[in-house]
Amino acid sequence: MDLSKYPIKSIRDKIEKVNNILITTHFNPDGDAIGASLALLNVLKALNKNVSMISPNELPFFLTWMKSATEIINYEQQPHIANEKIENAELIFYIDFNSIDRLAKAGDSFHVSSAYKILIDHHPDPEEFADLIISETKIGSAAELVYEVIKEIGFEEFLNKDIAECIFTGIMTDTGNFSFSCAYPGVWENMSELIKFEIDRDFVFSQVYDNYSESRMRLMGYCLNDKMRIIPEINSAIISLSINEMENFEYKPGDSEGFVNLPFSISGLKFSALLLEKEDHIKLSLRSKGKFDVNKLARKHFKGGGHMNAAGCEASMSLIEAESLLIEILREYMTELQ
Ligand code: 5GP
Ligand code: MN
């Protein structure tokens, strides 16, 4: 990967000059957000920097095993501690998001901070909310981009097995366990380098994918049997879950991970959505196969965003209204969904 268009040396100088460094990522952080951020955090720790990480909200339980994950400050739970860190930060890394809105409640504090801000991201069309923007939309994960940046800066000597596992987790989860966004040689070259750190691939896989409760498995069955709505004329599937239904299956954050992709094993399906009822809004996860652009749909109709084949957004309405609105919108794209 050619990072020569970025002032990489200036990043190294900045890191060397400052002491208080902060890393943050997007709301509802996933394997890539946490893996990429913790890889960077652990490299900066090895450099003896006073570095912390803030997540806008709780991270899913299946990511808590990663090196230094227990040190992550949850902004929703500890806003005072988080705000103090933000005030004292001299350098901030924004990882794996393209708009300040994605920091949710933490956004205002970050926005007013006078620290130098560096964005490392792979989402399309990043907004200008950082002093330096490293944006590579062709790369499958922010974790891989962070790895490339670490190498380019010349911090390779600080890499180790734990850090390689963080990077691997990000690549693995953002490529759907190497099923999409990985059709380029670079990712396999990077994987071969990471494997040399003797990462425990089986351990990482089982922590992330085989670590759920029985009730989560039954919730999955309920979704597929009772809740999945197929709309054949637009090749779409929609699963909606109310708070009550989630409570019936002892739902905890992270339990619905992967549900939105399940309908794609149906032949010819082009679009899938998972709608989750929250206290004051509906969270929509949108996925597509092929050229149907869910990032555009999320942006245009719901002020959301993401990638072409995986995006998300929120809607302030009831679950039934959100589902009806989504179907109405999808019908406008009938020809693209054939
Ligand atoms: P998920 O559906 O798994 O929450 O997110 C899929 C993708 O869409 C990720 O890249 C995520 O960062 C992005 N995304 C999810 N929700 C939102 C949202 O509310 N706004 C924006 N801009 N992006 C989102
Ligand atoms: Mn990502």
Side-chain angles (χ1 to χ4, degrees):
M1 148 143 282
D2 183 14
L3 294 177
S4 61
K5 60 178 177 285
Y6 301 109
I8 296 289
K9 188 171 176 306
S10 83
I11 303 178
R12 189 185 172 119
D13 292 345
K14 281 258 157 25
I15 292 171
E16 281 172 353
K17 225 166 51 197
V18 304
N19 191 31
N20 295 333
I21 306 179
L22 201 50
I23 298 171
T24 193
T25 189
H26 61 79
F27 189 76
N28 290 336
D30 53 15
D32 187 34
I34 299 296
S37 301
L38 289 180
L40 184 60
L41 178 110
N42 287 309
V43 165
L44 296 173
K45 270 181 152 187
L47 278 150
N48 289 320
K49 295 293 161 183
N50 180 22
V51 54
S52 306
M53 175 174 171
I54 292 174
S55 172
N57 64 336
E58 196 183 351
L59 64 150
F61 60 91
F62 54 80
L63 300 173
T64 53
W65 58 272
M66 268 189 265
K67 180 74 177 171
S68 307
T70 50
E71 292 170 24
I72 297 174
I73 302 161
N74 173 347
Y75 191 92
E76 278 185 350
Q77 254 174 18
Q78 296 183 299
H80 297 300
I81 295 174
N83 280 332
E84 205 181 305
K85 290 276 181 198
I86 298 169
E87 269 165 40
N88 292 333
E90 298 160 273
L91 175 59
I92 293 173
F93 285 95
Y94 288 149
I95 306 290
D96 194 35
F97 60 101
N98 60 357
S99 142
I100 192 111
D101 303 354
R102 301 285 289 134
L103 292 174
K105 286 187 197 122
D108 287 345
S109 305
F110 277 104
H111 181 66
V112 300
S113 152
S114 59
Y116 187 81
K117 292 158 187 160
I118 300 174
L119 170 70
I120 304 180
D121 181 44
H122 69 138
H123 292 85
D125 309 318
E127 288 173 10
E128 299 269 331
F129 62 104
D131 299 293
L132 172 60
I133 294 179
I134 300 183
S135 166
E136 290 293 322
T137 56
K138 290 203 171 76
I139 200 160
S141 59
E144 191 187 349
L145 185 54
V146 163
Y147 177 54
E148 293 276 7
V149 170
I150 288 169
K151 288 193 289 182
E152 193 75 17
I153 295 178
F155 287 162
E156 241 171 328
E157 64 186 288
F158 301 107
L159 293 169
N160 57 30
K161 177 176 183 273
D162 290 331
I163 297 172
E165 284 183 349
C166 293
I167 298 163
F168 172 65
T169 304
I171 298 175
M172 180 183 82
T173 53
D174 253 28
T175 60
N177 198 25
F178 302 96
S179 62
F180 50 78
S181 309
C182 56
Y184 54 97
V187 66
W188 303 101
E189 284 155 19
N190 284 329
M191 275 308 303
S192 115
E193 291 170 18
L194 293 168
I195 290 285
K196 289 188 189 121
F197 287 98
E198 298 188 348
I199 55 175
D200 192 342
R201 188 258 171 206
D202 295 2
F203 168 79
V204 174
F205 184 93
S206 68
Q207 286 296 308
V208 174
Y209 294 120
D210 298 336
N211 204 0
Y212 292 107
S213 61
E214 178 185 335
S215 56
R216 185 261 187 180
M217 193 85 199
R218 297 200 185 279
L219 174 62
M220 188 192 280
Y222 173 69
C223 282
L224 294 180
N225 200 41
D226 296 22
K227 300 297 299 188
M228 182 175 65
R229 183 167 166 193
I230 300 290
I231 309 146
E233 63 277 18
I234 46 173
N235 292 309
S236 296
I238 299 180
I239 299 170
S240 297
L241 283 176
S242 69
I243 291 176
N244 198 15
E245 287 169 314
M246 288 185 266
E247 278 173 1
N248 288 343
F249 289 89
E250 295 148 22
Y251 181 92
K252 58 181 185 310
D255 270 357
S256 55
E257 193 66 36
F259 284 8
V260 67
N261 296 311
L262 295 172
F264 282 118
S265 55
I266 301 170
S267 171
L269 206 82
K270 299 276 167 58
F271 173 88
S272 173
L274 176 71
L275 276 60
L276 298 179
E277 185 183 28
K278 304 280 173 180
E279 285 303 331
D280 56 359
H281 67 274
I282 306 301
K283 160 83 175 93
L284 294 89
S285 281
L286 313 177
R287 300 290 185 271
S288 64
K289 255 192 180 169
K291 295 224 157 17
F292 186 62
D293 191 337
V294 287
N295 173 38
K296 274 198 193 139
L297 188 150
R299 276 177 182 243
K300 182 169 173 202
H301 300 279
F302 295 98
K303 296 199 181 89
H307 303 278
M308 182 165 125
N309 295 126
C313 50
E314 293 179 2
S316 300
M317 55 187 77
S318 74
L319 190 57
I320 293 168
E321 284 167 343
E323 186 170 329
S324 306
L325 175 61
L326 180 60
I327 293 170
E328 205 177 294
I329 291 166
L330 287 169
R331 289 194 193 282
E332 292 173 25
Y333 296 93
M334 180 96 84
T335 39
E336 287 174 56
L337 285 164
Q338 295 315 304

